[in-house]
Amino acid sequence: MNLTDQDCARLSSASGQLANILTKAFTQPKLSERQRCIVMLRGFAAFMRALDCPDEWRRKIFELGLALGELDEGVTPEILKPAAPSHHRPSEGWRIWIGRSRAVLALDARVRAGMSQTDAVRELGRKFPFLNGEPFVKKGKLKSSIRNWQRKMGDIKPGDHLDLVAEMHEDARTKLADLTTTEAVAVADELLNKLR
């Protein structure tokens, strides 16, 4: 697709406006996390309007912002109501899975450095004892759990509620693969340290 000078000018102007809105959202200390997300969604809807995106696309983004706002009023809009789990046990949230993803990355880095999987799990449990307990695992189940986490990271499909976690996992795995084994272990450990 070839952009005209007018298209480029409009994109530049819309990008600048979006950057201003995002800057305000992140620099206002009194905004709650939800309010920050509402401002970001409204900014993105305005960005889409400036680019002449279809009304339906903009409306969906704007309505999501409105739905988040309704939560502050005690109203749970349909789009934000949890679905009944399709299996016996509901999945844990994305924050827990980011921690699990990072544990898998740290394990893989150690195995790549020549450590056995058993020794790598033992070292992770010793160095990061929080992994061997709630909310990550039931106490003492790290070895079997981390194998399940490895499988889960490979089984996540687009549209799954954890697909962004899986995408981040793959990006981090690719970056770690480009490092020396010593650097990879250090970087993976630093990611885990950020969870403390």
Side-chain angles (χ1 to χ4, degrees), residues 132-192:
N132 202 14
E134 296 290 338
F136 298 102
V137 298
K138 292 197 184 330
K139 186 100 175 111
K141 301 283 187 187
L142 183 59
K143 185 175 181 179
S144 59
S145 294
I146 207 163
R147 287 188 192 133
N148 291 334
W149 302 344
Q150 283 175 310
R151 277 193 296 279
K152 179 71 172 175
M153 286 296 105
D155 290 343
I156 295 172
K157 306 287 187 281
D160 184 303
H161 81 289
L162 296 174
D163 65 351
L164 290 177
V165 174
E167 185 178 315
M168 289 170 51
H169 179 82
E170 277 307 304
D171 288 348
R173 195 174 67 73
T174 300
K175 288 175 184 167
L176 290 175
D178 290 339
L179 302 175
T180 67
T181 54
T182 304
E183 291 170 331
V185 169
V187 170
D189 284 3
E190 184 54 34
L191 289 172
L192 275 173

Side-chain angles (χ1 to χ4, degrees), residues 11 14 20 25 38-39 71-72 76 83 85 94 96 136 142 147 161 167-169 186 195:
L11 179 60
N20 287 337
I38 292 167
V39 170
L71 288 175
D72 285 337
T76 305
W94 63 269
I96 293 170
F136 298 102
L142 183 59
R147 287 188 192 133
H161 81 289
E167 185 178 315
M168 289 170 51
H169 179 82
L195 296 175

Side-chain angles (χ1 to χ4, degrees), residues 18-39:
L18 179 59
N20 287 337
I21 290 169
L22 294 177
T23 299
K24 287 177 185 172
F26 282 97
T27 56
Q28 291 184 31
K30 294 183 179 178
L31 288 181
S32 70
E33 194 64 22
R34 184 177 298 151
Q35 290 168 328
R36 209 175 302 284
C37 289
I38 292 167
V39 170

Side-chain angles (χ1 to χ4, degrees), residues 68-142:
L68 285 175
E70 286 182 329
L71 288 175
D72 285 337
E73 301 300 318
V75 177
T76 305
E78 192 63 37
I79 193 169
L80 297 177
K81 287 182 182 172
S86 58
H87 40 76
H88 299 325
R89 196 179 96 199
S91 178
E92 290 87 357
W94 63 269
R95 291 182 197 277
I96 293 170
W97 275 103
I98 284 178
R100 290 172 175 173
S101 162
R102 291 177 180 180
V104 168
L105 293 169
L107 175 78
D108 291 346
R110 284 168 169 74
V111 169
R112 194 177 121 214
M115 194 177 281
S116 74
Q117 189 153 6
T118 300
D119 288 342
V121 171
R122 192 175 299 125
E123 182 174 299
L124 286 174
R126 187 176 65 251
K127 196 167 183 181
F128 305 100
F130 64 88
L131 288 175
N132 202 14
E134 296 290 338
F136 298 102
V137 298
K138 292 197 184 330
K139 186 100 175 111
K141 301 283 187 187
L142 183 59

Side-chain angles (χ1 to χ4, degrees), residues 9-28 36-51 53 61:
R10 193 172 64 209
L11 179 60
S12 177
S13 174
S15 297
Q17 290 171 4
L18 179 59
N20 287 337
I21 290 169
L22 294 177
T23 299
K24 287 177 185 172
F26 282 97
T27 56
Q28 291 184 31
R36 209 175 302 284
C37 289
I38 292 167
V39 170
M40 290 173 10
L41 287 167
R42 288 182 180 163
F44 190 60
F47 174 77
M48 294 172 74
R49 182 175 51 252
L51 296 182
C53 292
I61 298 294

